[in-house]
Amino acid sequence: MTTTDTPQVTREQEREAIASVPTGLFIAGEWRTARATMPVDDPSTGEHLVEVADADPDEAAAALDAAVAAQAEWAQVAPRERSEILTRARDLMLADVDRLALIMTLEMGKPLAEAKGEVAYAAEFFRWFAEEAVRIDGGFMTAPAGGSRFLVAKQPVGPCILITPWNFPMAMGTRKIGPAIAAGCTSVIKPAAETPLSTLALADILVQAGLPAGVVNVVTTSKSDDVMRPMILDPRSRKISFTGSTPVGKHLLELAAKTVMRTSMELGGNAPFLVFDDADLDVAVEGAMAAKMRNIGQACTAANRILVQRPVAEEFARRLGERMGALPMGRGVEDGVVVGPLVNQKAVDKVDELVRDALDRGATAQLGGAPADRDGYFYPATVLTGVPAEAEMGSSEIFGPVAAITEFDTEEEAIALANDTPFGLISYVFTQGLDRGLRVSEALEAGMVGLNQGVVSNPAAPFGGIKESGVGREGGFTGIDEFLETKYIGVRV
């Protein structure tokens, strides 16, 4: 989260940014007109922005055909050349950060300063995997009994299906496209129907960076299951990488099982945010602001259950309420705005239902607690105290700017509450005790832990969860391995 002011954007600049984005299907290096289109709206006003291609199964099949046709040649391209393409794409993104950020803000709603931060973050995935492309290695060893040698090679897994969410439309694109390109894989990417423009703009940048035709293909559609199912079931597709909800992820895993397709799944979260009585409350509040308010709370890593030890709960809630209550709300293009709109009316309704459920169960609204009375899909920053563990928001992602505070007494109780969920993406721990910090971090059932920090996402670190929060890792040294097959070659000597 950032509160950096941004220059006022004019309506003309908004129109120019939207007009700069290709709106067709990107297949085999060409922009193609689709048989149908779908609308993209501005969530801060509800107004129509533009129409983009709405692919049908036949058009999507053409994209997969292009990826398959390009695979063999792309796999033979020198790692350095693949690396340099990613480096050029990264440089082009950073040089065009203002336009790319404005496109993202208009289609998704996040404040412009935060959108600029996402463009920079997204570009870092290209830089990281540009560096990884030239470091793909294997192995050599003598057989334990002698008489032969073992060679281990890493090879591209093959054509990939990449499916990205609406909440981080550019960073989730580069986090999947980057390792695919670096590993020598071709792909078809399908962005979320709510935010296709960022991905289309990204494809245009890859063209400028010199990416060969067919290596990355983009299919936008409102008919996700009808369009994606045939591609996933096609035995030529060798991997699927998906970021989104757990129910959809389970459905995709069932489809992938039909052909035993490689999978990477970054699914839902229910992050506990633990504040112990020995925590530095200034650090804890700052961490809560980052973990709760990043992307207006619309993040799988968002602090969903804020668990605070009883002796400091009242003071923590007071400080957090002051900070959240001071956040300006409005369109993401307006000066100083921190709380932008949610993605659509359905999102507002879900947040409101969860808040009303908590209030009905005895929680208190210290701040906010009801949808905003204005155009667009806004829900004000909200702080709830005394939220019972059995409230619906204790088991469902809030995905909005609502901080739900529950008190606990002992370390054992905190760990039990934190782990009482089928999800295990990320947990946060705030304490000044090194022994407690390590002890609790190790006891938490999560793929990632933020110890005295509210943001852990980094292209150089492995991102992913356990239990129903996912399969595999993105980023870090392991991220590229998700796009590589290991081949063993036995040699008689």
Side-chain angles (χ1 to χ4, degrees):
M1 189 194 67
T2 179
T3 57
T4 304
D5 286 350
T6 55
Q8 187 68 43
V9 175
T10 67
R11 286 288 188 170
E12 181 61 28
Q13 289 173 316
E14 293 179 22
R15 288 190 288 270
E16 289 175 354
I18 296 300
S20 71
V21 183
T23 57
L25 302 171
F26 185 61
I27 300 174
E30 299 178 347
W31 293 101
R32 302 185 184 181
T33 301
R35 286 186 276 268
T37 61
M38 63 182 186
V40 180
D41 297 331
D42 180 346
S44 70
T45 62
E47 296 174 359
H48 180 66
L49 287 173
V50 70
E51 296 279 326
V52 302
D54 190 0
D56 60 31
D58 290 339
E59 290 167 324
L64 180 58
D65 290 344
V68 171
Q71 178 59 57
E73 185 175 353
W74 178 242
Q76 296 302 312
V77 170
R80 180 64 68 191
E81 185 175 341
R82 299 198 298 264
S83 173
E84 289 173 349
I85 289 171
L86 287 170
T87 298
R88 288 195 295 271
R90 179 250 185 186
D91 293 343
L92 288 166
M93 290 177 69
L94 295 181
D96 204 12
V97 62
D98 290 339
R99 181 181 71 93
L100 295 175
L102 181 53
I103 292 166
M104 192 188 312
T105 292
L106 291 172
E107 70 172 343
M108 187 264 153
K110 70 180 62 183
L112 192 55
E114 194 169 341
K116 290 180 180 180
E118 181 176 334
V119 174
Y121 174 52
E124 279 299 295
F125 281 107
F126 277 169
R127 175 158 75 167
W128 175 260
F129 286 109
E131 295 164 341
E132 290 295 283
V134 297
R135 292 174 174 82
I136 298 172
D137 58 11
F140 174 90
M141 68 177 286
T142 300
S148 65
R149 304 292 184 267
F150 299 163
L151 299 181
V152 178
K154 298 290 184 67
Q155 297 180 320
V157 69
C160 302
I161 307 299
L162 313 177
I163 305 176
T164 57
W166 53 263
N167 55 343
F168 292 94
M170 191 157 290
M172 298 305 95
T174 59
R175 192 158 77 179
K176 297 181 188 300
I177 294 171
I181 289 175
C185 298
T186 60
S187 63
V188 178
I189 182 168
K190 187 204 79 68
E194 295 88 347
T195 57
L197 301 179
S198 292
T199 302
L200 294 169
L202 187 59
D204 198 34
I205 281 176
L206 288 168
V207 172
Q208 297 174 49
L211 188 71
V215 175
V216 171
N217 306 273
V218 181
V219 171
T220 54
T221 184
S222 64
K223 304 174 286 291
S224 294
D225 193 57
D226 291 344
V227 168
M228 302 309 294
R229 178 187 292 264
M231 283 200 292
I232 296 169
L233 295 176
D234 192 314
R236 299 176 300 167
S237 301
R238 294 312 310 143
K239 175 181 174 61
I240 181 170
S241 177
F242 169 74
T243 297
S245 72
T246 294
V248 174
K250 290 180 178 180
H251 172 62
L252 295 176
L253 284 169
E254 290 178 355
L255 294 179
K258 304 293 185 182
T259 59
V260 196
M261 181 189 293
R262 285 277 295 276
T263 60
S264 298
M265 296 279 153
E266 196 272 281
L267 308 178
N270 186 12
F273 186 99
L274 279 60
V275 181
F276 288 95
D277 57 8
D278 64 343
D280 182 323
L281 288 190
D282 288 334
V283 173
V285 169
E286 192 63 37
M289 292 294 293
K292 179 73 262 181
M293 295 306 295
R294 184 185 185 201
N295 208 42
I296 324 159
Q298 299 175 117
C300 56
T301 56
N304 209 61
R305 298 169 293 150
I306 300 178
L307 309 176
V308 187
Q309 202 157 19
R310 201 172 304 278
V312 296
E314 183 176 349
E315 178 62 14
F316 176 86
R318 184 189 67 78
R319 296 190 193 187
L320 183 61
E322 287 181 354
R323 289 288 302 277
M324 290 181 63
L327 300 178
M329 182 175 69
R331 293 190 71 217
V333 296
E334 296 171 358
D335 291 349
V337 162
V338 175
V339 183
L342 301 186
V343 69
N344 52 34
Q345 185 60 47
K346 182 179 178 181
V348 175
D349 293 341
K350 177 188 175 183
V351 171
D352 190 43
E353 289 174 7
L354 291 173
V355 169
R356 285 189 286 108
D357 171 79
L359 295 175
D360 289 344
R361 293 175 186 265
T364 299
Q366 180 174 306
L367 175 72
D373 183 16
R374 56 175 296 166
D375 291 337
Y377 311 122
F378 289 88
Y379 200 96
T382 294
V383 176
L384 303 181
T385 58
V387 178
E390 63 272 17
E392 288 295 325
M393 62 176 54
S395 58
S396 177
E397 283 188 289
I398 301 170
F399 248 58
V402 178
I405 299 175
T406 300
E407 297 179 5
F408 69 87
D409 291 304
T410 68
E411 180 179 312
E412 292 73 21
E413 180 188 2
I415 293 171
L417 285 170
N419 289 339
D420 186 21
T421 173
F423 302 99
L425 184 61
I426 186 170
S427 299
Y428 302 93
V429 180
F430 284 78
T431 175
Q432 294 189 78
L434 177 60
D435 55 346
R436 169 180 272 173
L438 293 176
R439 185 171 61 245
V440 173
S441 294
E442 291 177 357
L444 291 170
E445 297 172 354
M448 301 176 288
V449 176
L451 181 53
N452 291 324
Q453 64 181 58
V455 176
V456 300
S457 302
N458 191 297
F463 186 103
I466 62 174
K467 300 196 290 188
E468 293 191 16
S469 284
V471 177
R473 294 294 183 269
E474 295 184 305
F477 295 113
T478 59
I480 197 168
D481 288 338
E482 301 282 343
F483 292 84
L484 294 167
E485 296 284 15
T486 298
K487 177 179 284 186
Y488 153 60
I489 304 170
V491 182
R492 185 172 70 88
V493 178

